[in-house]
């Protein structure tokens, strides 16, 4: 008789739901039997600009060394990041996407009997990394779709080791102010690691969102995670980073895979960091696209959750699943968020102007069909 390898998995793993990614373009193209080029995908908060030409050139150059292992310490990228983020080199941890950083934190600091606190409607990876190591997930009800920081504070107990907060949050796009963050950090016990997930922070520059890096010196229990997947346009390469005290970085370094960031990703990330023009264009496109979608929603009589990310959740005022299916039939992929406790919303990534337009027209058509 063979073993029941589901029942044998540790209890947290048995109970977790795997991450559901956006539907791939090729999959929908096969289903509809249409040209993939005719499909618009606004489902995974990817940068619609395509990668920076400078990053592409750096990748071409790095191809010559493909037989060699990458620099396991990511010296060049860490040096650039340390300089840009005003920290020491030993405070930077590189990850295979910022997802990897979240996982390293869970592996290093959580275990059965301990818990992590995070908000309702927060990024799906927080429960996954928490449960995967057998720790308890304390999910705190959201307030106006955003984090209820005071309720999160109250939920912290002696078994809490990690709090995940995202600014702005995905999928809601909600955010909190510098004052709110400061008050929160002041009250979190010093032995609880606060992971401030800033995957979308580059889009919020110049707004009232705080820069998490400004708080690192004052709060040794703070880790800021960031990524090259969004505003830097390198989602496929999987590269992100954490900024923390050197002690926390050293701990994370102990549990990471020796070569967790590949050499093409390292080279491209260095080039992308230096490409100010690309970043500025990403922001400009995002801002105008956000306005385009908001205007479109207004014209359709729909509500939405104001967002500081490169995505926006529209409130359909009815179950969103049939509308999502209708959009797929129109060749438009967006993201259902029922698994985030938001059955009446769809999350739309800001695309190029023509893509946003295609989406809005398809939405109008699907809604008109009833
Ligand atoms: C809030 C948030 N954090 C982290 C990530 C992880 O991104 P990556 O692993 O590509 O850096 C995402 C990706 O969608 C996200 O939305």
């Amino acid at each position: 008789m063979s073993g029941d390898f589901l029942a044998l998995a540790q209890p947290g793993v048995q109970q977790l739901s795997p991450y559901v990614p956006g539907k791939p373009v090729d999959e929908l193209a096969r289903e509809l039997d249409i040209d993939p080029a005719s499909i618009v995908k606004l489902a995974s908060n990817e940068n619609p600009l395509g990668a920076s030409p400078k990053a592409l050139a750096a990748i071409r150059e790095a191809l010559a060394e493909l037989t060699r292992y990458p620099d396991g310490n990511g010296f060049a990228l860490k040096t650039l990041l340390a300089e840009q983020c005003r920290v020491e080199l030993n405070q930077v941890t590189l990850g295979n996407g910022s997802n990897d950083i979240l996982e390293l934190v869970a592996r290093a600091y959580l275990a059965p009997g301990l818990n992590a606190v995070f908000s309702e409607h927060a990024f799906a990876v927080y429960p996954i990394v928490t449960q995967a190591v057998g720790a308890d997930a304390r999910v705190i009800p959201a307030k106006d779709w955003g984090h209820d920081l005071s309720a999160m504070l109250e939920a912290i107990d002696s078994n809490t080791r990690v709090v995940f907060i995202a600014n702005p949050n995905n999928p809601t796009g909600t955010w909190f102010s510098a004052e709110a963050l400061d008050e929160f950090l002041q009250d979190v016990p010093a032995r609880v690691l606060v992971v401030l997930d800033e995957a979308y922070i580059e889009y919020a520059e110049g707004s009232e969102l705080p820069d998490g890096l400004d708080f690192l010196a004052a709060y040794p229990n703070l880790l800021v995670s960031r990524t090259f997947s969004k505003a830097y346009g390198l989602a496929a390469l999987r590269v992100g980073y954490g900024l923390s005290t050197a002690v926390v970085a050293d701990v994370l370094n102990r549990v990471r895979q020796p070569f967790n960031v590949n050499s093409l990703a390292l080279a491209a990330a260095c080039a992308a960091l230096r490409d100010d023009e690309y970043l500025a264009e990403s922001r400009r496109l995002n801002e105008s696209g956000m306005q385009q979608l908001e205007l479109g929603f207004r014209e359709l009589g729909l509500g939405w959750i104001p967002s500081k990310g490169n995505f926006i959740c529209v409130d359909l005022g009815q179950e969103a699943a049939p509308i999502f299916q209708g959009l797929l039939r129109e060749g438009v992929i967006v993201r259902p968020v029922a698994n985030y406790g938001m059955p009446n919303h769809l999350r739309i990534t800001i695309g190029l102007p023509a893509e946003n337009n295609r989406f809005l027209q398809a939405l109008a058509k699907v809604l008109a069909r009833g």
Side-chain angles (χ1 to χ4, degrees):
M1 208 178 101
S2 60
D4 180 348
F5 283 96
L6 176 58
L8 287 166
Q10 59 112 325
V13 174
Q14 286 181 45
Q15 278 156 29
L16 65 75
S17 321
Y19 182 78
V20 184
K23 196 177 179 73
V25 167
D26 286 344
E27 191 179 306
L28 182 63
R30 277 195 305 276
E31 283 170 17
L32 297 181
D33 196 19
I34 58 171
D35 180 4
S38 68
I39 291 175
V40 168
K41 183 186 176 210
L42 302 173
S44 299
N45 299 347
E46 294 151 336
N47 193 323
L49 259 184
S52 142
K54 289 182 181 157
L56 292 175
I59 290 171
R60 271 182 225 110
E61 205 174 308
L63 283 174
E65 295 295 322
L66 224 50
T67 58
R68 305 210 178 274
Y69 281 103
D71 173 2
N73 286 320
F75 181 78
L77 180 56
K78 278 190 187 175
T79 305
L80 279 181
L81 284 170
E83 201 179 288
Q84 196 182 80
C85 301
R86 313 174 304 274
V87 295
E88 298 297 323
L89 202 78
N90 61 5
Q91 293 181 260
V92 185
T93 307
L94 298 182
N96 192 246
S98 59
N99 198 118
D100 196 19
I101 302 293
L102 304 174
E103 203 167 311
L104 294 178
V105 166
R107 289 233 306 278
Y109 290 103
L110 295 172
L114 303 176
N115 69 65
V117 171
F118 51 88
S119 177
E120 180 190 19
H121 315 308
F123 186 41
V125 165
Y126 308 155
I128 293 177
V129 298
T130 301
Q131 284 176 240
V133 295
D136 292 328
R138 295 208 155 175
V139 186
I140 310 310
K143 195 165 134 190
D144 300 330
W145 302 109
H147 295 1
D148 183 344
L149 292 176
S150 10
M152 291 176 78
L153 267 178
E154 277 171 35
I156 293 174
D157 68 11
S158 57
N159 292 323
T160 305
R161 290 290 181 279
V162 178
V163 178
F164 292 106
I165 51 176
N167 208 28
N169 181 53
N170 170 32
T172 57
T174 48
W175 65 95
F176 43 80
S177 67
E179 296 71 40
L181 176 61
D182 201 27
E183 266 175 42
F184 180 75
L185 290 170
Q186 275 177 37
D187 291 345
V188 172
R191 53 166 183 80
V192 174
L193 185 67
V194 176
V195 176
L196 173 59
D197 181 342
E198 292 191 334
Y200 302 93
I201 198 68
E202 294 85 3
Y203 289 110
E205 205 202 51
S207 71
E208 72 262 39
L209 266 78
D211 177 341
L213 306 183
D214 292 342
F215 297 81
L216 279 174
Y219 299 102
N221 60 335
L222 176 64
L223 179 142
V224 176
S225 66
R226 292 187 173 180
T227 183
F228 285 91
S229 300
K230 311 296 176 183
Y232 288 103
L234 297 175
L237 288 177
R238 315 303 303 125
V239 51
Y241 56 99
L243 304 161
S244 62
T245 58
V247 175
V248 170
D250 170 53
V251 167
L252 300 185
N253 205 40
R254 294 175 192 207
V255 289
R256 77 173 172 84
Q257 279 183 43
F259 304 103
N260 61 337
V261 184
N262 72 75
S263 48
L264 303 186
L266 288 171
C270 286
L273 259 191
R274 293 193 179 102
D275 194 345
D276 295 339
E277 230 174 279
Y278 178 89
L279 190 61
E281 179 60 9
S282 294
R283 287 188 181 120
R284 197 198 56 73
L285 198 67
N286 194 58
E287 206 169 302
S288 61
M290 186 71 85
Q291 284 168 9
Q292 188 185 356
L293 289 190
E294 288 180 349
L295 182 66
F297 295 151
R298 192 171 293 124
E299 283 172 2
L300 289 169
L302 299 171
W304 65 87
I305 305 174
S307 167
K308 293 286 187 201
N310 66 343
F311 54 87
I312 184 166
C313 279
V314 62
D315 183 357
L316 298 165
Q318 58 178 301
E319 206 202 328
I323 313 287
F324 168 69
Q325 292 298 337
L327 288 169
L328 285 182
R329 286 191 289 275
E330 296 296 320
V332 176
I333 311 175
V334 297
R335 190 63 156 262
V337 282
N339 59 330
Y340 282 95
M342 303 169 71
N344 290 356
H345 287 83
L346 287 176
R347 191 195 68 190
I348 295 92
T349 301
I350 310 299
L352 297 171
E355 294 175 321
N356 299 332
N357 208 25
R358 246 302 281 291
F359 156 70
L360 286 170
Q361 282 177 355
L363 181 61
K365 197 167 153 187
V366 172
L367 288 172
R369 267 192 224 131

